[in-house]
């Protein structure tokens, strides 16, 4: 397995690009790439030439996260001002604007069947679940706090939820915090199942293996990518090699590899059998905030694609095979 | 069996004495000799026999008795035998003196010998044997010249006296005149072919000294044929065998030495060589015995020096350096401190002093060796090493470089050179070590692990990680680390993390599955270095495994604990890091590195009091010599000064002074310590001495570049702080940004905060805002950034509102900004755990209210700005209308000017016509008054007549042109004709002019008025306002201004046109006349009267 550079758009945005996600293909069009930026815009790109389809405006204070509904029809974007905007991908019509003060908005992901949008709630130490039919808040999954926080105890403020990930079957939700904690919830019962150990620094990205629903990958500021048994609570392995923060982790659709984006300006491809990095792409000049494999599906689509976006304002596309 | 027969006095009988059965008590034989008055030669024979049997006392007893006064009486007439006995005694005592080592006893022996020889001389002063004896005595005493004289006395009278010849030969030999000596020995042999073997020994020695080795060997062999027990010959041949320098020669040489020793155990040379032999076989007891004997039997300085040298070497190799040193010094003294005589003791002494730490003495002695052997590599290397320890690195380098040049194949010299260069020139050091490695491999030697380790370490320091890895792997060879390092074997990876450092299960499982987890002691250091390298290139799992492996085999390896602790710290697992450091402190509770790391961790855990105690313990553990511990205390004091939020001036000053004191202490001990310099710069900056601080930081920054171990982002940040304090915001921004990118991959949100502050002070609101947004994105849980974001948006809004002129877009942005600020502060207000960040809810509420108020004001301003924008649009329309009016006025003005021009031209033509008519009338009058004039006058008239027609033609042409023009032109012609009939009516012209002017004025007024009306109308329509009075006021003003302008313009135009006709004198004249009026008419009247 390897990556090959296909296309790079320099100055894709006017400032740092922080988020990227693929909008799945529909009957009418192929999968599209969605990017969000500090310049407060969301842009839509058509692969493989990365032609700009549209620029959406309206957010303030920088677009921090993006999520695409599995149907490919709608998507959600959020910004540092803590609004979530749900919109129609093809028409850009606003469907809903979500907020749940004082909760902030960080990582987002649609449940695999598309019925729920999970939103990491930052300092609220919780994950907000929104119903995608009525766009009402249906549940709040809270991370337990220490029983008696002391005034001098700074750890209490570090239960700050940054990232979320759904298991392939939608039964488990994992979230990562600033202090390195990873919590796994039983969504149906709104119950905390485990806390996974291994990190002591922010967990900025989580992803479940598409082929083994027990395996969860986490990327952290400690420079490591950890493999966890989300059911058994054990640390299966740890992979190091990035020289700075791991900002984003995504699993390839075939389950054989994961890709990571890092503050060290590189994108790495990791072979999960060897548990080692087999390739490093160094075409970015600044932090790589997001990497995303294109989801399977779409007419005539066979080759894999990986996208990466960077603080250097660029968007890159690679062939994954 | 040899026997002597003593005749019995007064009888024919003899007493038979068997020589090998001499009685033990010499008195018995003496009684017989005396009783029978035996011949004295028999006394000599018996005495000699005793001597041969080693019974010296008996020998001496007989001879002493044989030379007593009684014998002198009884044997008064027996001269020769008595002299012989005396000479024998003299020779005996000469020998004793020669071998005696104590000066006093030696002198006494020589005195005894002299006494016996003198007694013999008194018997017969011409006896040659006595002189020969004296010569021998003088030789033994070292009085070479006197000896020569003694032998000469004999040879002068008896040239073929063999003993004297031999004595002379010995004298020449001692003088170093080997050729002359050889001749004398040969002559002795010729005279007496049956000479004892000693003569051939002399020949051999001379040959040897003359370099004729083969002949020397033949001579010595001949000696041994004649006398198999000749010790000198054996020793000589032994030396020659040893000098052959091959194993056979060595064996033969030592065999001969052994023979010599067995024959005669008191030969100093043989003893020395045997001692040397046993030194190499490690039989030190024998070395001591043999050497001490040699010292006892010889007075020859060089030989004694050799003996002392052997003793010294023996003690040296046994590790008794002090005794060895003593004997080396004794060896040196025996050669009168002349290294050229015997240089080896200097080398040995140098080595011993090096061991004992007496470096200067060692240097002195090795320098002596270089005096004799300037190119000796061993000595050069030793001196290089010594000068290194003495801190004279330049000299050390000089010697080591010379060693490598002299012997480019000496790998050890390159190793030494490399070690010297490590601290000063890593590139050159690396080259030297690589050369050593190459030489060793070429020579088939195994490269020591130390060399490979050093090469790897140097590559590591130079950030050449791949090369470092290769060398460490080569140094280590095969082992469990290779499997783990190459990731070829699918080793069990569960639990391979810092967390499980106490779990040895992984190693036991590896053992059970057939892997070896052994780590030879000499590989631990390199394995540690390999782990450290893996840590550096972020292969953390492999590094952790190896540290744990080291601890599994060597539980006391403190550095492995500390690296694991550093790894845990880097992953922000402080409790684990502290636990690991404490494990290290269990091994050595005073380990300064462990204590320093513990202090650092305690600081990070915000445990200040404990940290201070820990740093002090680290300082105490090194008796105040460890820079790191002192620096840490300095930093602690600095933080203490800055940390107090109430900023107690006295306490702050105290801590700063303490910090400065500590930094200065480190700099005194190590003047190139960059961390101490950085600390000093900080203190200077805190005291406001920014220029000096800037210089300090700049120098530290330059010095810190180029090494992986000297990463100092602090100094970059400090430089930026200084630029900020000095108001140089552009440089400040650049410095912060460079630091972020170079050291932190732009991830350090604290530096981003500094950067934002700089933008804020420079009033670059948008840059400040974006920087804060980046900081929030990096560290979203830090609410300080959000608060600051709200503050900057508030500031940006209010600064825009304070501007005197604002565009609607600017105000719209301001409104959005204020709305965002309200939202940010509102969210902060509602967030929990505010006390953790030190926020005051009331303060935030104040901000919310202020921003809301700001927002309302902004909205009002937005409406105002929008109205202003509308008004501006209206003003633009008014300006357009005014421009149109101006255009119309300009056209009217052009029309008026055109008309004035035409009027002026017509008037000019009219005047010309009048003048011409007058002239014609005058001429006609003159012709009628003078009928029948002369021809000349007629010609003049004709000429005049000719000129007139051309004038007329011109006039007519002019008229035609005018007729072609508009009808107004014709009108003017009519006026002209009328004027022609009224010569005296100038007033009429004036009236015409006035009329024209009035008409023009009227036209101008009308034209001016029309645009005014239009403008008024347009304004009313455009404004759509309901206040007509304002418009009425404005319009008349415009009209008034325009009229005035028109008036001025008219007057100017008029004046200009009046000046136009001044184009010809004639016209001027006419005009002048016209203006004068009456005077012209008077003149005309006068002319008429004259006519």
């Amino acid at each position: 397995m390897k990556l090959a550079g296909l296309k790079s758009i320099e100055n894709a945005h006017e400032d740092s690009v922080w988020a990227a996600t693929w909008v799945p293909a529909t009957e009418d069009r192929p999968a599209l790439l969605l990017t969000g930026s500090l310049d407060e815009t969301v842009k839509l790109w058509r692969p493989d030439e990365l032609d700009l389809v549209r620029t959406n405006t309206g957010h303030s204070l920088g677009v921090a996260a993006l999520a695409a509904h599995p149907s490919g029809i709608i998507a959600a974007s959020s910004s540092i001002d803590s609004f979530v905007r749900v919109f129609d991908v093809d028409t850009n019509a606003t469907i809903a604007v979500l907020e749940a003060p004082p909760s902030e908005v960080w990582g987002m992901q649609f449940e695999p069947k598309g019925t729920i949008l999970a939103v990491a709630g930052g300092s609220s130490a919780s994950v907000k679940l929104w119903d995608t039919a009525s766009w009402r808040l249906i549940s709040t999954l809270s991370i337990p706090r220490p029983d008696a926080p002391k005034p001098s105890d700074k750890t209490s403020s570090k239960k700050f939820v940054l990232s979320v990930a759904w298991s392939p079957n939608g039964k488990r939700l994992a979230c990562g915090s600033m202090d390195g904690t990873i919590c796994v919830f039983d969504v149906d019962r709104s119950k905390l199942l485990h806390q996974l150990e291994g990190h002591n620094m922010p967990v900025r990205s989580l992803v479940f293996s598409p082929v083994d629903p027990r395996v969860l990958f986490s990327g952290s500021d400690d420079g490591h990518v950890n493999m966890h048994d989300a059911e058994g609570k054990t640390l299966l392995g740890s992979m190091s090699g990035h020289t700075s923060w791991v900002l984003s982790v995504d699993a390839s659709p075939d389950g054989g590899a994961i890709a990571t984006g890092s503050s060290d300006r590189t994108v790495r491809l990791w072979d999960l059998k060897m548990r080692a990095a087999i390739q490093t792409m160094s075409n970015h000049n600044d932090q790589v905030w997001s990497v995303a494999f294109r989801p399977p599906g779409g007419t005539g689509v066979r080759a894999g694609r990986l996208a990466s976006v960077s603080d250097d304002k660029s968007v890159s596309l690679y062939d994954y095979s | 069996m040899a026997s002597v027969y003593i005749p019995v006095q007064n009888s024919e009988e003899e007493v038979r004495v068997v020589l090998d059965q001499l009685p033990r008590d010499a008195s018995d034989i003496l009684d017989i000799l005396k009783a029978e008055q035996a011949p004295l030669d028999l006394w000599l024979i018996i005495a000699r026999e005793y001597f041969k049997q080693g019974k010296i006392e008996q020998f001496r007893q007989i001879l002493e008795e044989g030379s007593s006064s009684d014998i002198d009486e009884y044997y008064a007439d027996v001269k020769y035998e008595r002299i012989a006995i005396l000479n024998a005694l003299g020779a005996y005592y000469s020998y004793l003196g020669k071998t005696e080592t104590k000066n006093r006893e030696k002198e006494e022996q020589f005195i005894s010998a002299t006494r016996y020889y003198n007694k013999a001389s008194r018997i017969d002063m011409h006896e040659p044997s006595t002189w020969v004896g004296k010569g021998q005595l003088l030789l033994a005493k070292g009085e070479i010249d006197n000896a020569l004289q003694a032998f000469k006395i004999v040879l002068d009278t008896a040239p073929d006296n063999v003993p004297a010849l031999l004595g002379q030969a010995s004298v020449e030999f001692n003088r170093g005149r080997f050729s002359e000596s050889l001749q004398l020995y040969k002559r002795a042999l010729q005279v007496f072919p049956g000479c004892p073997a000693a003569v051939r020994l002399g020949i051999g020695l001379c040959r040897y000294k003359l370099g004729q080795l083969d002949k020397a060997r033949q001579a010595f062999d001949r000696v041994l044929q004649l006398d198999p027990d000749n010790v000198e010959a054996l020793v000589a041949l032994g030396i020659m065998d040893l000098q052959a320098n091959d194993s056979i020669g060595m064996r033969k040489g030592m065999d001969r030495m052994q023979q010599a020793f067995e024959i005669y155990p008191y030969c100093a040379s043989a003893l020395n060589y045997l001692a040397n032999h046993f030194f190499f076989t490690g039989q030190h007891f024998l070395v001591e015995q043999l050497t001490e004997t040699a010292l006892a039997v010889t007075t020859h300085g060089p030989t004694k020096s050799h003996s002392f040298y052997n003793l010294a070497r023996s003690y040296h190799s046994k590790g008794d350096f002090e005794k060895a040193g003593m004997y080396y010094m004794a060896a040196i003294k025996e050669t009168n401190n002349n290294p050229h005589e015997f240089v080896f003791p200097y080398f040995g002494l140098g080595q011993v002093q090096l061991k004992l730490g007496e470096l200067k003495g060692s240097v002195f002695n090795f320098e002596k060796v270089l005096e004799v052997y300037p190119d000796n590599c061993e000595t050069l290397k030793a001196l290089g090493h010594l000068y290194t320890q003495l801190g004279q690195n330049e000299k050390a380098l000089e010697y080591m470089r010379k060693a490598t040049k002299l012997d480019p194949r000496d790998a050890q010299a390159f190793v030494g050179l490399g070690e010297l260069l490590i601290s000063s020139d890593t590139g050159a050091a690396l080259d030297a070590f690589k050369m050593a490695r190459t030489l060793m491999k070429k020579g088939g030697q195994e490269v020591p692990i130390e060399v490979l380790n050093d090469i790897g370490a140097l590559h590591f320091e130079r950030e050449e990680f791949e090369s470092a890895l290769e060398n460490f792997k080569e140094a280590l060879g095969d082992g469990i680390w290779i499997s783990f390092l190459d990731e070829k074997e699918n080793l069990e990876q569960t639990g391979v993390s810092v967390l499980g450092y106490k779990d040895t299960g992984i190693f036991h499982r590896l053992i059970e599955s057939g892997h070896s987890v052994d780590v030879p002691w000499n590989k631990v250091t390199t394995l540690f270095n390999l782990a450290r390298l893996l840590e550096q290139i972020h292969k953390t799992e492999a590094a952790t495994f190896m540290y744990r492996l080291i601890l599994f085999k060597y539980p006391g390896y403190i550095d492995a604990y500390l690296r694991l602790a550093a790894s845990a710290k880097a992953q922000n697992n402080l409790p684990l890091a502290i636990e690991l450091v404490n494990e290290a402190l269990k091994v050595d509770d005073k380990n300064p590195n462990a204590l320093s790391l513990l202090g650092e961790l305690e600081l990070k855990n915000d445990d200040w009091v404990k940290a201070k105690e820990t740093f002090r313990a680290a300082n105490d553990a090194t008796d105040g010599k460890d820079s790191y511990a002192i620096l840490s205390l300095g930093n602690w004091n600095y933080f203490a000064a800055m940390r107090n939020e109430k900023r107690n001036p006295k306490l702050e000053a105290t801590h700063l002074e303490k910090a400065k004191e500590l930094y200065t202490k480190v700099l005194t001990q190590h003047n190139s310590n960059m961390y101490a310099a950085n600390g000093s710069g900080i203190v200077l900056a805190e005291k406001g001495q920014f220029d000096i601080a800037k210089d300090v930081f700049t120098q530290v920054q330059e010095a810190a570049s180029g090494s992986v171990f000297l990463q100092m982002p602090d100094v970059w940040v400090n430089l930026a702080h200084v630029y900020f304090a000095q108001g140089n915001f552009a440089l400040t921004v650049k410095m912060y940004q460079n630091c972020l990118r170079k050291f932190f991959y732009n991830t350090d949100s604290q530096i981003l905060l500094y950067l934002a502050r700089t933008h804020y002070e420079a009033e670059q609101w948008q840059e400040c805002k974006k920087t804060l947004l980046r900081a929030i994105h990096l560290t979203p849980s830090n609410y300080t950034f959000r608060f600051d974001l709200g503050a900057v948006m508030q500031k940006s809004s209010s600064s825009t509102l304070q501007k005197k002129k604002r565009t609607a877009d600017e105000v719209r942005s301001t409104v959005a900004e204020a709305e965002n600020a309200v939202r940010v502060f509102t969210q902060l207000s509602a967030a929990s755990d505010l006390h953790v960040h030190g926020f005051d809810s009331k303060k935030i509420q104040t901000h919310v209210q202020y921003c809301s108020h700001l927002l309302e004001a902004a909205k009002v301003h937005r409406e105002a700005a929008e109205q202003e924008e509308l008004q501006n649009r209206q003003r633009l329309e008014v300006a357009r209308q005014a421009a149109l009016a101006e255009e119309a006025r300009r056209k009217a003005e052009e029309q008026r000017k055109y008309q004035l021009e035409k009027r002026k031209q017509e008037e000019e033509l009219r005047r010309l016509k009048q003048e011409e008519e007058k002239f014609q009338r005058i001429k006609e009058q003159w012709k009628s008054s003078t009928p029948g004039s002369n021809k000349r006058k007629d010609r003049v008239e004709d000429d005049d007549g000719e000129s007139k027609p051309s004038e007329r033609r011109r006039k007519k042409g002019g008229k035609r042109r005018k007729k072609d023009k508009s009808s107004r032109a014709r009108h003017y012609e009519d006026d002209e004709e009328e004027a022609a009939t009224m010569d005296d009516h100038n007033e009429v012209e004036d009236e015409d002019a006035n009329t024209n002017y009035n008409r023009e004025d009227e036209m101008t007024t009308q034209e001016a008025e029309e645009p005014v009306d239009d403008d008024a109308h347009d304004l009313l329509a455009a404004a759509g306002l309901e206040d007509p009075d304002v418009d009425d006021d404005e319009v008349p003003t415009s009209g008034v201004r325009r009229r005035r302008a028109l008036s001025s313009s008219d007057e100017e135009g008029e004046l200009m046109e009046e000046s136009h006709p001044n184009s010809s004198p004639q016209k001027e004249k006419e005009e002048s006349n016209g203006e004068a009026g009456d005077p012209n008419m008077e003149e005309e009247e006068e002319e008429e009267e004259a006519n």
Side-chain angles (χ1 to χ4, degrees), chain A residues 165-181:
Chain A
W166 290 92
S167 63
N169 57 15
K171 293 183 179 300
R172 299 284 184 263
L173 181 75
C175 63
S177 301
M178 285 290 288
D179 66 349
T181 304

Side-chain angles (χ1 to χ4, degrees), chain B residues 267-284:
Chain B
C267 177
S269 291
L271 291 166
N272 277 342
Y273 279 100
L274 283 169
N276 191 70
H277 171 70
F278 289 122
F279 170 77
F280 286 114
T281 62
Q283 296 164 266
H284 295 292

